Structures are given as structure tokens and as C-alpha cells.
């Protein structure tokens, strides 16, 4: 039986159209700006996010760290939500690479709250204080929450003169859920990054977008960070297919997540954390007998892969390679193993 992988949308393998585009990609030395496929990907990315320019980078973490390095001077303070990726899942890179101080806030909220930003902006002129160099937001957040446009606007306002960077790893998911273009979802951020390698199915890569002078400086920083890639058009070709063919499909992943939530709600011993906004379904399993590791192994024996819980919460992810019939198969298997 086909393996069903619900661990993440990063497990998505490239589509047949991507493999064809990669094989046929027109390439050049991108460090010299000579790769036409990378240039096309950067142009399309800038256009879709409503920014002046864009930069193709190896990963989402790279894009965020390159943004922090480009926006800030060492010793600056970055205001962001405690639960965000930069604080939790980037291995302390901001301290290592940019030597900034992370001011984590809004611990009880999935997203950065405007009032928490307003309360933490540093006044100019007192030499005791660090300078507020940057405010970082996520859209959607790592727990799958889509942030309302009013909240995004309020955070931008609270940031005042400090730039706002948006970690939009799942920006196109957020835009689809909000029913707006990505440029609207990213409007209240000065820079934004998105991942091609999650629900969009490209094998590698993220794109950092922003004003032309910011991207010019980020290009030098990408080189410093070791992210200058040569015939990267082979990868960018998959990214172009991702944006053209997979982006319009993300809404279908969201519908499957809603359907999965519905099926799981009917299983005794499953407690949904909340209704999914995008392709991420979170639940607790009060009916679980034994450890989460035992459940992972029992499902794996049936060809279904999930991650163990994080603090008692399990995450199941729908994506391109999860079909409608897989949802029922999973709900049944989960029911049997509880
Ligand atoms: C996945 C993710 C990233 C980083 O992406 P990688 O390509 O895995 O480095 C950053 N932010 C958020 C919110 C993510 O979900």
C-alpha cells in the first residue's frame, strides 16, 4: 500500500512537471546574476508579493536570517513572538550570524500582538537602550493561524520607524485562507519571505522579497552566508512551476484539512485543538493508550507516517500527495490504534 506521510508539507516530493522543467532549465552563473531561470523566479516572486525585488535563497531559515542581518546592526533588538520560528526553530542563528538581541513577546498568543510591540519599542536618545532594529511577524504562524489584515496593519503601525519583516513560509496558504492576493497579505511588511519547498512541492528554496536597495544589500549578505549558488536555475525552474501550478491548488489542501478535522472529531479519544485555517490540523489524544512513540510505530506499521506529539499536541498535515481517500484511511487507522 502507498505510504501516507502526514508529518509535514516539507515531505512533498517534486511533481512530474517540476522534474521536466528542472531537466530543461536554461541556466547561468547566478552569483554573476546570469541565470535567466533564477532571474525569472525572482521577478515573478517580487510581482506576486508586491515588492520591488526578490532574492532566491536555499531555505526559509536562510531567508529569515538574511533579512535579520540586512535590516539590523549587531547589538540591535528584534521584537517578535516567543512562539515564532526565528526564536524556536532556527538554532540560535540570529545571535550567531547577526549578533542581535531577540525580544520575545506575546507568549500566550500564536501571533505577535500589536500592543506587545507598542510596549516594547525603544525610545531614541537613551544610551542604555538597544536600538529596535526590526519587528518580525509570521503569516501564517507555525501553528497554522492566519493573522487578520487589521492585526498586520496594527503591528506595522506599532513598529513606527522600525522595519517589519514577515516570515511567510506559508504566505500563499495564508493568502488563500484570507481570500486575498499574497501582495495584500504582505502589504504591511517591508520585507517578506516565502518557502517554495513546503506545500508548493519544490525540492529546495525560499525567496526573500523587499525594496530594491534592501535586496541589493541582502544579495551581498547571501554571499557572505555562503548562499551564492551557481547554476541554481535547475532549482528555480521547480520554483517557477511551484508558483504557477501548485500555488492555485493550496485551497484544496485547506479543504482536506477541514475534512480531516471533521473525521477526527468523530473519533472517540481525539480532541481537536481548533478548526484548521490552512493545511495544519492540531489535536490532543486523551484516548491514547501508551506513549506517543507507540502510536507512531503502530501507524508506521500500516504505512502511515506522523510525528510524535509536542507538549501533548499532535500535528497532521495535508499536502499535494494526500488524497481524499487517505483521510478516511488515516482516521480509521487512528481509531483502531487508540
Ligand atoms: C518552515 C518554516 C521556516 C523555515 O523553513 P526551512 O526552509 O525549513 O528553513 C520558517 N518559518 C516558518 C514559520 C516555517 O514554518
Amino acid at each position: 500500500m502507498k505510504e501516507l506521510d502526514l508529518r509535514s508539507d516539507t515531505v512533498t516530493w517534486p511533481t512530474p512537471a517540476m522534474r521536466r522543467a528542472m531537466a530543461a532549465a536554461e541556466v547561468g552563473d547566478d552569483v554573476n546574476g546570469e541565470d535567466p531561470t533564477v532571474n525569472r523566479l525572482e521577478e515573478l516572486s517580487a510581482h506576486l508579493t508586491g515588492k520591488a525585488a526578490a532574492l532566491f535563497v536555499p531555505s526559509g531559515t536562510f531567508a529569515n536570517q538574511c533579512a535579520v542581518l540586512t535590516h539590523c546592526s549587531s547589538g540591535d533588538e528584534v521584537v517578535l513572538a516567543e512562539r515564532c520560528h526565528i526564536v524556536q526553530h532556527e538554532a540560535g542563528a540570529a545571535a550567531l550570524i547577526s549578533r542581535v538581541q531577540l525580544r520575545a513577546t506575546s507568549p500566550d498568543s500564536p501571533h505577535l500582538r500589536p500592543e506587545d510591540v507598542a510596549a516594547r519599542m525603544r525610545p531614541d536618545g537613551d544610551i542604555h537602550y538597544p536600538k529596535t532594529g526590526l519587528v518580525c511577524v509570521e503569516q501564517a504562524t507555525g501553528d497554522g493561524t492566519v493573522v487578520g489584515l487589521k492585526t498586520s496593519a496594527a503591528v506595522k503601525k506599532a513598529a513606527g520607524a522600525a522595519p517589519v519583516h514577515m516570515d511567510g513560509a506559508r504566505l500563499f496558504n495564508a493568502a488563500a485562507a484570507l481570500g486575498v492576493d499574497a501582495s495584500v497579505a504582505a502589504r504591511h511588511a517591508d520585507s517578506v519571505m516565502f518557502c517554495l519547498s513546503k506545500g508548493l512541492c519544490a525540492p529546495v528554496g525560499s525567496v526573500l522579497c523587499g525594496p530594491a536597495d534592501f535586496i541589493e544589500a541582502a544579495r551581498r549578505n547571501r554571499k557572505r552566508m555562503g548562499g551564492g549558488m551557481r547554476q541554481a536555475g535547475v532549482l528555480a525552474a521547480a520554483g517557477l512551476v511551484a508558483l504557477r501550478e501548485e500555488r492555485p491548488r493550496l485551497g484544496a489542501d485547506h479543504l482536506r484539512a477541514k475534512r480531516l478535522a471533521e473525521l477526527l472529531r468523530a473519533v472517540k479519544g481525539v480532541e481537536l485543538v481548533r478548526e484548521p485555517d490552512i493545511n495544519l490540523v492540531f489535536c490532543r489524544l486523551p484516548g491514547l493508550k501508551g506513549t506517543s512513540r507507540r502510536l507512531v510505530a503502530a501507524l508506521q506499521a500500516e504505512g502511515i507516517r506522523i510525528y510524535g506529539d509536542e507538549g501533548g499536541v499532535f500535528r497532521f498535515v495535508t499536502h499535494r500527495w494526500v488524497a481524499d481517500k487517505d483521510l478516511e484511511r488515516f482516521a480509521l487507522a487512528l481509531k483502531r490504534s487508540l
Side-chain angles (χ1 to χ4, degrees):
M1 193 179 264
K2 183 190 124 212
E3 182 173 88
L4 171 59
D5 199 335
L6 297 167
R7 289 175 301 166
S8 177
D9 43 10
T10 58
V11 302
T12 45
W13 52 86
T15 64
M18 283 177 187
R19 291 192 185 261
R20 283 195 299 275
M22 293 171 81
E26 205 188 331
V27 296
D29 189 337
D30 179 54
V31 174
N32 298 338
E34 291 168 6
D35 190 303
T37 310
V38 172
N39 293 343
R40 274 199 287 277
L41 175 65
E42 290 177 348
E43 272 162 38
L44 178 59
S45 300
H47 171 72
L48 291 174
T49 57
K51 306 299 178 200
L55 182 70
F56 183 47
V57 297
S59 71
T61 298
F62 195 112
N64 282 336
Q65 294 301 328
C66 188
V68 172
L69 183 61
T70 308
H71 281 299
C72 298
S73 300
S74 59
D76 280 0
E77 188 166 76
V78 179
V79 176
L80 68 194
E82 189 181 306
R83 294 190 198 170
C84 79
H85 201 272
I86 293 176
V87 173
Q88 301 295 341
H89 295 122
E90 300 191 7
L96 183 74
I97 299 170
S98 303
R99 294 177 297 152
V100 292
Q101 168 163 301
L102 297 185
R103 186 108 179 260
T105 176
S106 311
D108 307 322
S109 164
H111 60 83
L112 186 63
R113 284 184 297 234
E115 59 271 30
D116 293 332
V117 175
R120 284 165 185 80
M121 297 309 289
R122 301 288 191 174
D124 275 345
D126 186 327
I127 61 161
H128 293 89
Y129 291 131
K131 179 169 172 269
T132 306
L134 183 65
V135 173
C136 287
V137 296
E138 286 184 351
Q139 179 71 297
T141 69
D143 76 347
T145 304
V146 173
V147 182
L149 294 175
K150 277 198 188 129
T151 302
S152 301
V155 167
K156 175 66 184 154
K157 187 153 179 261
V164 174
H165 169 68
M166 179 177 280
D167 173 345
R170 296 187 181 86
L171 176 69
F172 296 108
N173 294 88
L178 287 167
V180 300
D181 284 343
S183 61
V184 174
R187 183 182 286 163
H188 304 295
D190 299 274
S191 61
V192 60
M193 81 84 173
F194 61 84
C195 291
L196 294 162
S197 55
K198 288 190 169 167
L200 293 174
C201 292
V204 176
S206 292
V207 187
L208 177 62
C209 309
D213 56 345
F214 168 82
I215 292 298
E216 196 183 311
R219 201 173 284 279
R220 167 169 279 131
N221 286 332
R222 180 184 70 172
K223 186 73 184 128
R224 287 176 168 144
M225 292 165 71
M229 300 179 286
R230 301 296 178 179
Q231 282 72 38
V234 171
L235 300 172
L240 281 166
V241 176
L243 291 177
R244 288 176 185 146
E245 294 182 11
E246 298 304 310
R247 185 172 50 93
R249 207 197 44 74
L250 293 173
D253 292 344
H254 301 176
L255 287 178
R256 285 203 182 93
K258 287 191 167 60
R259 172 82 188 123
L260 179 59
E262 212 175 281
L263 288 169
L264 293 181
R265 193 176 285 115
V267 177
K268 209 167 145 260
V270 177
E271 206 179 273
L272 221 60
V273 172
R274 57 186 171 74
E275 242 345 274
D277 285 344
I278 55 170
N279 62 328
L280 311 177
V281 180
F282 293 87
C283 46
R284 296 177 188 282
L285 301 177
L288 180 65
K289 294 182 197 76
T291 62
S292 127
R293 190 181 296 178
R294 188 200 61 83
L295 174 68
V296 171
L299 289 172
Q300 180 143 16
E302 297 197 41
I304 300 174
R305 303 198 70 181
I306 62 164
Y307 281 136
D309 70 296
E310 232 180 84
V313 176
F314 289 81
R315 185 187 78 164
F316 308 125
V317 185
T318 59
H319 53 74
R320 170 72 142 83
W321 306 106
V322 176
D324 287 331
K325 62 179 186 341
D326 294 327
L327 304 177
E328 267 122 67
R329 174 180 160 206
F330 171 58
L332 275 174
L334 186 64
K335 188 173 178 179
R336 271 198 305 275
S337 52
L338 282 181

